[in-house]
């Protein structure tokens, strides 16, 4: 499938756009709210506030009658409690195969990566959307029959070890790995991560794969 552009909007927020149709992933509290401008559909991986703000997303749903959201059950409950129209917020589970705004979507995963044994592990799904994989907060396994063109690669956070991020990128072996989930890093920190993780990913895959996108910079999806 061609003609899709991917842009990053800070932290875990992504937008996929084709012919004016916009699918947004994880428009959380660390992401520019403008990512939702003109959105056709929203996909949410899990309920942590850096991935979704229920009250904010519910208000956008109220203002835009054509907008729909797909998310795990706990997020659906939170959105409905925040006032989201129940008929436009839909539950997803790992294994679901969907068409969202004309784009093919596979729902993967199941659980958030562990932060600490004393911290509860919430549900977390990943989305493979027309060749773009957003794993949420987990090293979400990819089915053997799936090909990933662009991987949104988490590189920072309380659950992330940089070596695990590198190993995950190598397992997935995308054409492009775009670092995300890094709002907690300073510019110096991002530079360090790019140098270490990016260098390792490129060397281990034997090609240039790791690419940081500036907010709003478009990347053509070719898979």
């Amino acid at each position: 499938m061609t003609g899709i552009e991917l842009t990053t909007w800070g932290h875990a927020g992504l937008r996929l756009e084709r012919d004016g149709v916009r699918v947004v992933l994880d428009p959380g509290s660390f992401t520019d709210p403008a990512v939702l401008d003109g959105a056709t559909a929203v996909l949410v991986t899990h309920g942590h506030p850096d991935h979704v703000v229920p009250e904010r997303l519910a208000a956008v749903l109220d203002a835009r009658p054509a907008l729909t959201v797909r998310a795990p059950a706990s997020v659906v409950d939170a959105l409905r409690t925040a006032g989201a129209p129940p008929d436009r917020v839909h539950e997803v589970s790992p294994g679901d195969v969907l068409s969202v705004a004309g784009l093919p979507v596979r729902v993967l995963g199941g659980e958030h990566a562990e932060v600490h044994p004393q911290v509860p592990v919430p549900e977390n799904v990943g989305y493979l959307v027309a060749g773009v994989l957003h794993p949420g907060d987990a090293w979400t396994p990819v089915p053997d029959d799936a090909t990933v063109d662009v991987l949104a690669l988490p590189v920072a956070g309380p659950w992330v070890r940089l070596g695990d991020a590198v190993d995950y990128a190598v397992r997935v072996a995308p054409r492009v790995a775009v670092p995300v989930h890094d709002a907690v890093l300073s510019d110096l920190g991002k530079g360090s991560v790019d140098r270490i993780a990016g260098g390792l990913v490129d060397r281990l895959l034997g090609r240039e794969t790791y690419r940081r996108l500036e907010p709003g910079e478009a990347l053509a999806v070719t898979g």
Side-chain angles (χ1 to χ4, degrees):
M1 179 175 292
T2 59
I4 300 171
E5 285 191 342
L6 178 149
T7 49
T8 62
W9 291 76
H11 200 57
L14 302 180
R15 178 192 284 169
L16 301 177
E17 185 168 2
R18 184 182 65 172
D19 299 331
V21 172
R22 294 175 171 179
V23 176
V24 173
L25 294 98
D26 280 5
S29 58
F30 297 163
T31 295
D32 185 344
V35 70
L36 290 167
D37 291 352
T40 306
V42 175
L43 304 175
V44 179
T45 62
H46 66 289
H48 284 160
D50 58 325
H51 293 257
V52 64
V53 181
E55 295 78 13
R56 187 167 77 188
L57 187 50
V60 176
L61 279 160
D62 187 57
R64 301 197 66 241
L67 181 64
T68 60
V69 177
R70 286 170 173 80
S74 57
V75 178
V76 169
D77 290 345
L79 286 167
R80 290 175 176 169
T81 298
D87 61 332
R88 290 194 283 123
V89 181
H90 308 288
E91 180 181 338
V92 297
S93 300
D96 289 350
V97 178
L98 314 167
S99 177
V100 176
L103 300 181
V105 176
R106 295 176 71 168
V107 185
L108 311 172
E111 289 189 344
H112 193 288
E114 183 180 80
V115 174
H116 185 275
Q118 296 300 313
V119 176
V121 177
E123 59 184 343
N124 175 97
V125 299
Y127 295 100
L128 181 59
V129 187
V132 176
L133 175 60
H134 193 314
D137 280 8
W139 309 122
T140 302
V142 180
D144 292 338
D145 63 344
T147 299
V148 177
D149 185 58
V150 181
L151 168 64
L153 177 64
V155 295
W159 60 278
V160 176
R161 190 181 75 89
L162 199 57
D164 292 336
V166 171
D167 290 344
Y168 183 61
V170 172
R171 286 198 305 274
V172 174
R175 179 180 64 88
V176 181
V178 175
V180 298
H181 208 277
D182 56 3
V184 297
L185 296 179
S186 66
D187 289 341
L188 286 173
K190 290 177 183 177
S192 178
V193 163
D194 292 349
R195 184 173 62 256
I196 297 169
L200 282 169
V201 169
D202 289 354
R203 178 162 63 85
L204 291 170
L205 287 176
R207 52 183 166 82
E208 292 186 5
T209 302
Y210 186 98
R211 176 177 170 184
R212 177 170 294 280
L213 297 180
E214 297 302 321
E217 179 185 356
L219 174 67
V221 178
T222 64

